[in-house]
Amino acid sequence: MNQTDQTDQINLRDYWRIIVKHRKLIITFFLVVVAAVAIHSLTMIPVYQSTTQILIERANPNVLRAEEMFVIDPTGQDFYQTQYKILESRALAGEVVNRLNLTEHPEFKGIEEEPGFFSYIKDTKSTIMGEIKGLFEFMKPSRPEFDENEYFGTTGSVPGMESHDNSRVVGSFLGRLNIEPIRNSRLVNISFESTYPKLSARVANALVKTYIDWNLSLRLKGQQAAALFLNEQVKETRRKLAATELALQQYREKYGVAIISSRVGGKTGYSEDLSRQKLIHVSTQLLDVTNKRIEAEIKYEKALKLLKNPAKADSIPEVVSSPVIISIKANEIGLLREKAEKSEKFGQKHPIMIALNQEIKDLRKQKFHEIKNIVSSMKTNYEVALSQERTLQNAMGLSQDETINRDKIAIQYQVLQQEVDSNRQLYDMLLKRLKETNVSEENRTINIHVVDYAEVPKSPVKPKPKRNLLLAVIMGLFMGGGMAFFIEYLDNTVKNSEDLERFFQLPYLGPVPHYDMKNSGSVQPELVVLNEPRSSASEAYRGLRTGILFSTPGHSPRSVLITSPAAGEGKTITCANLAVVMAQSGSKVLLIDTDMRKPRLHRVFGIKNEQGMSNLLVGEGEWKDFRIKTDITNLDFIPSGPNSPNPAELVGSERMQNLMKEFGKEYDRIVMDSAPVAAVTDPVVLSRLVDGVILVIHAGVTGRDIIANGIRRLKDVHATILGAMLNNIDIGKGSYYYYYQDYK
């Protein structure tokens, strides 16, 4: 497990430290809560509670069957949720108030706040809020003057919008009422609280009685409304039935019974067979003629294409099968054979040969002429087939129109017949339900039953001092502890070494506790290592010296720069005491004040700041002429000198680098005080001239963001940060550093 994981582990001692640290806040919260609850419990008037238990069965409608009238789930929980809301309704509460005349009862008369501690707080709050609203009254927008009573008196009233004198009483009534359904049952507890025992029982029972009466009246109203609705529907349906029957009879007389019955599935089928058989016959003929026309058209078009080439005209199927063409071809073959025989005896110009060639030519002309006649007859066949097809198409259209007209007549008749049947069924059903509703109006059964009536309570339910005080103790401790941890959570300051390692990964050089400089009685009260050498603060500075000497491996740093993330963190006092303890250890120490903006180190030693580093850096003399021997052995001091307008340029000059080399030749340790690193650039520049930088952090005061900014600025210039120390820590009891105390 790495260091970060160990740091992040839950440490119960840290929690205890937070509790002890904020113990005053926790105790204050605890005492305030307990005292407030105790005062309220002791000054509160006893409150009594009575409970009536009822059973609510599911209501089944008896006007019409559920599947015909309602689209609801009778097993769902919405029915019971609705009943619970009805029990809590203002209408039911107002009825109970009127029945029991509660407006005149002392419990509700005036409805003034009970005197007591919380009443006083509430009145004070109302007064303050009223005064605040009065201050901003001028910002409230105005509205036109308007007489609402006169306006609504002329436009009519709206149910539920009337002004009720008992409105406040109803609101108070509902605030004392509690409706509690019993889980996994149909039982409901109706409880009412009152400072009068008998009134609580009386109101609980009266509310149940009012609820039962309301449900019964609602049911009767629903049945009466249903009966009235059904009666109107029966009359309307009877009128529609008579009208549709009359229309059906007139339609039947208009088009004839035979035609209509044949089209709607009657026994007479002559008209249907005649019209449809005619349509089928024409359709069949049309199909045959169409096929013949297509066949004739294809043959004719193919023959035309072949006719264009006389050499291919003989290949037309009709030509090939023609007897005339066959005879002509036979004659042609005989002539060709004769020509071939005589060509061996006679030349081509012989009269016999010329006569044979002429005969062959004439025969071929005759054959081509006969082919044309065959193609012409094919065209005639095509035109005849086309004419027949068009004639049958016209006949087909007429037959279809006749059939469609007959179908329309039959379909309309079916529509009228179905409407008559539907109206007759609806009329019969409504008439039956009307009779059932008239019978059910006489039924006065209800689905709400009282299981236990409310009884007059013997003991109050409020207040319960023991329970209230126990809860107050728990809440007081919880709220106080929560506030303490919340404040601790909001605190982003560095308080201990774990914070330094967790958030900044800085070496921890040690803590310096808070000490009182006013009671030291010394002219140099800040030098605690001289005034109180055995105090915990002195030991802390000696521990800081040891931490610095062993902060780097191989050799200890000879020159250190003391700075802080922000002002007022005690870096000057730390610098002075650290230089003293180093000198006391036998090292020759030079203490330099490089804070040329707000120097304070010279006041710690009681030395005038007339000349110093600012003079040296501008070349006004040798550094040995400006060093001051202090009363402390081995410790020399160079003050800052007069304030400079450009200290950053001075400390970053080559002169400063040369001085640091000269200081190092004569002194074992060089301790430098500087301005805060987050405020100016002086310590950033000086950090490159020393062996290491020490950050002084005011424990519990300096924020982590300020520290992070200072560290970032030093790391940007690759400065060596030896570590950080926590200054002015609290070593009181319960503190993180409780055991770091004085010893003598």
Side-chain angles (χ1 to χ4, degrees):
M1 183 180 294
N2 56 33
Q3 184 177 1
T4 303
D5 294 336
Q6 293 177 350
T7 305
D8 292 339
Q9 285 183 343
I10 297 176
N11 194 335
L12 296 179
R13 287 179 296 178
D14 291 341
Y15 291 165
W16 175 250
R17 178 180 58 81
I18 294 174
I19 293 174
V20 174
K21 177 181 177 181
H22 300 282
R23 59 187 179 277
K24 293 182 180 179
L25 176 65
I26 297 174
I27 294 173
T28 301
F29 263 93
F30 173 77
L31 293 178
V32 169
V33 173
V34 173
V37 172
I39 293 173
H40 178 68
S41 299
L42 295 176
T43 58
M44 181 180 178
I45 299 175
V47 177
Y48 298 86
Q49 184 185 69
S50 293
T51 302
T52 301
Q53 189 175 89
I54 63 174
L55 171 65
I56 303 178
E57 295 287 354
R58 291 189 178 92
N60 294 321
N62 55 8
V63 177
L64 292 176
R65 292 196 298 271
E67 64 270 20
E68 296 176 356
M69 282 291 289
F70 302 100
V71 187
I72 61 173
D73 181 11
T75 63
Q77 288 297 319
D78 54 346
F79 169 76
Y80 287 100
Q81 295 298 327
T82 302
Q83 300 306 309
Y84 304 152
K85 292 302 180 182
I86 291 174
L87 285 168
E88 298 174 345
S89 64
R90 294 184 65 86
L92 209 62
E95 182 63 24
V96 176
V97 169
N98 292 333
R99 288 189 180 188
L100 300 181
N101 194 22
L102 295 182
T103 54
E104 300 300 326
H105 194 280
E107 180 81 10
F108 297 95
K109 194 173 184 179
I111 313 180
E112 297 178 355
E113 187 73 27
E114 298 177 357
F117 177 74
F118 286 96
S119 176
Y120 172 76
I121 293 178
K122 186 175 181 180
D123 292 341
T124 304
K125 176 184 175 182
S126 300
T127 303
I128 295 174
M129 293 302 297
E131 294 294 332
I132 294 175
K133 290 180 179 179
L135 295 175
F136 296 95
E137 189 68 25
F138 68 94
M139 299 178 63
K140 185 177 180 180
S142 60
R143 62 181 181 182
E145 295 295 333
F146 181 70
D147 190 350
E148 290 186 283
N149 294 329
E150 180 180 355
Y151 174 79
F152 289 112
T154 58
T155 58
S157 61
V158 179
M161 294 299 294
E162 297 86 359
S163 175
H164 296 284
D165 296 334
N166 61 348
S167 177
R168 296 178 61 192
V169 176
V170 171
S172 178
F173 180 94
L174 293 175
R176 302 161 192 261
L177 180 66
N178 182 33
I179 307 299
E180 182 182 2
I182 299 178
R183 191 177 181 86
N184 298 325
S185 72
R186 301 175 184 178
L187 299 175
V188 182
N189 286 334
I190 301 174
S191 304
F192 190 81
E193 296 180 352
S194 172
T195 56
Y196 296 87
K198 293 183 179 180
L199 179 64
S200 62
R202 187 177 179 85
V203 169
N205 292 327
L207 181 64
V208 172
K209 181 63 170 59
T210 305
Y211 173 61
I212 294 174
D213 294 344
W214 184 85
N215 272 274
L216 185 58
S217 64
L218 182 65
R219 177 183 172 185
L220 293 177
K221 289 179 181 178
Q223 291 174 344
Q224 292 172 359
L228 181 61
F229 170 77
L230 289 173
N231 189 36
E232 294 294 330
Q233 291 299 312
V234 166
K235 293 179 181 179
E236 180 66 19
T237 306
R238 186 187 300 117
R239 184 187 63 79
K240 290 182 178 179
L241 178 59
T244 53
E245 287 178 342
L246 178 60
L248 180 64
Q249 181 61 30
Q250 292 175 350
Y251 193 82
R252 187 185 293 116
E253 294 174 355
K254 180 179 179 180
Y255 292 101
V257 178
I259 295 177
I260 294 174
S261 61
S262 66
R263 306 309 296 170
V264 297
K267 294 183 179 180
T268 305
Y270 174 78
S271 298
E272 179 181 9
D273 293 340
L274 183 60
S275 62
R276 291 196 176 275
Q277 286 180 5
K278 181 180 178 181
L279 178 61
I280 294 172
H281 181 68
V282 172
S283 177
T284 303
Q285 288 182 334
L286 178 61
L287 180 61
D288 294 338
V289 171
T290 301
N291 291 334
K292 291 179 180 179
R293 190 267 306 167
I294 294 174
E295 183 180 358
E297 184 179 5
I298 293 174
K299 290 181 178 180
Y300 173 66
E301 290 179 352
K302 186 176 181 181
L304 284 178
K305 292 180 181 179
L306 295 175
L307 188 62
K308 293 179 180 179
N309 187 355
K312 295 182 179 180
D314 293 345
S315 63
I316 297 175
E318 285 75 6
V319 172
V320 174
S321 61
S322 175
V324 177
I325 297 299
I326 294 174
S327 175
I328 293 174
K329 285 185 176 181
N331 294 333
E332 183 181 4
I333 293 172
L335 291 174
L336 290 175
R337 188 181 298 113
E338 183 181 357
K339 178 182 177 182
E341 293 175 354
K342 291 182 178 183
S343 63
E344 295 177 357
K345 297 179 181 182
F346 305 105
Q348 292 295 327
K349 296 182 179 181
H350 192 274
I352 295 175
M353 294 299 296
I354 294 172
L356 286 174
N357 288 333
Q358 184 63 37
E359 286 185 36
I360 293 172
K361 184 176 180 181
D362 293 340
L363 190 61
R364 288 179 176 177
K365 287 182 179 180
Q366 182 183 358
K367 183 180 67 173
F368 187 73
H369 179 72
E370 186 63 26
I371 291 174
K372 285 185 177 181
N373 291 335
I374 293 173
V375 173
S376 178
S377 64
M378 293 174 64
K379 178 180 179 182
T380 302
N381 292 335
Y382 162 68
E383 290 176 350
V384 170
L386 181 61
S387 177
Q388 291 177 348
E389 181 184 18
R390 289 175 179 174
T391 302
L392 288 174
Q393 285 178 345
N394 294 332
M396 181 74 175
L398 295 175
S399 181
Q400 285 180 342
D401 292 341
E402 180 182 359
T403 304
I404 291 172
N405 290 333
R406 289 176 179 271
D407 288 342
K408 287 182 179 178
I409 294 172
I411 291 172
Q412 183 62 28
Y413 179 82
Q414 287 181 338
V415 172
L416 293 175
Q417 183 66 50
Q418 290 175 358
E419 187 173 358
V420 170
D421 295 341
S422 176
N423 287 335
R424 182 175 291 109
Q425 292 176 1
L426 180 61
Y427 174 75
D428 293 340
M429 184 192 69
L430 291 175
L431 186 60
K432 179 182 177 182
R433 297 297 178 261
L434 177 61
K435 293 179 180 180
E436 292 177 353
T437 302
N438 292 333
V439 174
S440 65
E441 281 190 50
E442 303 301 325
N443 186 10
R444 293 294 187 269
T445 59
I446 194 69
N447 63 319
I448 302 168
H449 311 282
V450 179
V451 178
D452 289 320
Y453 284 97
E455 298 179 354
V456 178
K458 304 299 182 182
S459 58
V461 294
K462 298 178 183 178
K464 295 182 178 180
K466 293 182 180 179
R467 184 194 66 179
N468 293 346
L469 287 178
L470 178 61
L471 293 176
V473 169
I474 297 174
M475 289 300 297
L477 292 175
F478 178 77
M479 293 173 61
M483 183 59 68
F485 281 98
F486 181 69
I487 292 175
E488 191 72 16
Y489 171 76
L490 295 179
D491 185 7
N492 71 333
T493 60
V494 174
K495 297 174 282 296
N496 49 52
S497 59
E498 284 81 358
D499 292 345
L500 286 174
E501 296 173 359
R502 179 188 309 168
F503 298 109
F504 309 109
Q505 293 78 44
L506 285 180
Y508 181 55
L509 299 177
V512 174
H514 172 76
Y515 57 90
D516 191 1
M517 296 180 293
K518 296 181 180 178
N519 299 327
S520 63
S522 173
V523 295
Q524 299 174 344
E526 290 91 346
L527 298 177
V528 65
V529 294
L530 294 179
N531 300 326
E532 300 179 17
R534 300 188 60 186
S535 65
S536 59
S538 300
E539 287 298 325
Y541 284 120
R542 284 190 281 270
L544 178 62
R545 175 195 62 191
T546 303
I548 294 173
L549 295 179
F550 292 96
S551 60
T552 55
H555 63 88
S556 59
R558 297 186 60 192
S559 58
V560 294
L561 176 69
I562 309 296
T563 184
S564 62
E569 301 199 53
K571 60 177 180 54
T572 298
I573 297 177
T574 300
C575 185
N577 284 278
L578 180 62
V580 172
V581 295
M582 285 184 174
Q584 289 177 344
S585 66
S587 299
K588 191 174 182 181
V589 181
L590 175 62
L591 178 61
I592 305 173
D593 190 356
T594 58
D595 187 354
M596 302 178 191
R597 301 175 187 271
K598 292 182 179 180
R600 184 172 172 269
L601 195 57
H602 62 280
R603 298 178 185 174
V604 176
F605 291 94
I607 299 173
K608 294 182 179 180
N609 187 26
E610 296 177 351
Q611 292 181 332
M613 286 299 297
S614 59
N615 302 96
L616 282 173
L617 294 176
V618 296
E620 292 184 0
E622 294 294 330
W623 66 271
K624 294 182 179 180
D625 298 333
F626 293 94
R627 68 179 176 181
I628 300 173
K629 295 286 185 180
T630 64
D631 298 335
I632 302 166
T633 306
N634 296 328
L635 179 61
D636 293 344
F637 173 57
I638 299 178
S640 64
N643 292 348
S644 172
N646 53 349
E649 287 77 2
L650 292 180
V651 298
S653 62
E654 185 179 356
R655 172 68 172 167
M656 184 66 188
Q657 298 177 12
N658 296 331
L659 287 174
M660 290 297 296
K661 294 178 181 179
E662 294 179 13
F663 295 156
K665 294 178 182 179
E666 188 165 342
Y667 291 94
D668 299 325
R669 308 290 175 194
I670 302 172
V671 181
M672 302 172 64
D673 184 22
S674 68
V677 67
V680 295
T681 59
D682 305 1
V684 177
V685 176
L686 289 170
S687 65
R688 299 296 303 276
L689 305 178
V690 296
D691 295 338
V693 180
I694 299 173
L695 288 176
V696 179
I697 299 173
H698 193 169
V701 175
T702 308
R704 293 195 293 265
D705 51 347
I706 299 177
I707 299 174
N709 182 43
I711 295 174
R712 179 184 57 79
R713 298 189 66 185
L714 291 173
K715 288 185 176 181
D716 287 344
V717 297
H718 305 288
T720 301
I721 302 177
L722 301 177
M725 58 151 295
L726 296 179
N727 190 32
N728 203 25
I729 65 172
D730 180 18
I731 59 173
K733 187 175 182 180
S735 170
Y736 179 84
Y737 297 95
Y738 172 61
Y739 294 102
Y740 194 92
Q741 301 187 58
D742 296 354
Y743 69 96
K744 297 182 180 178

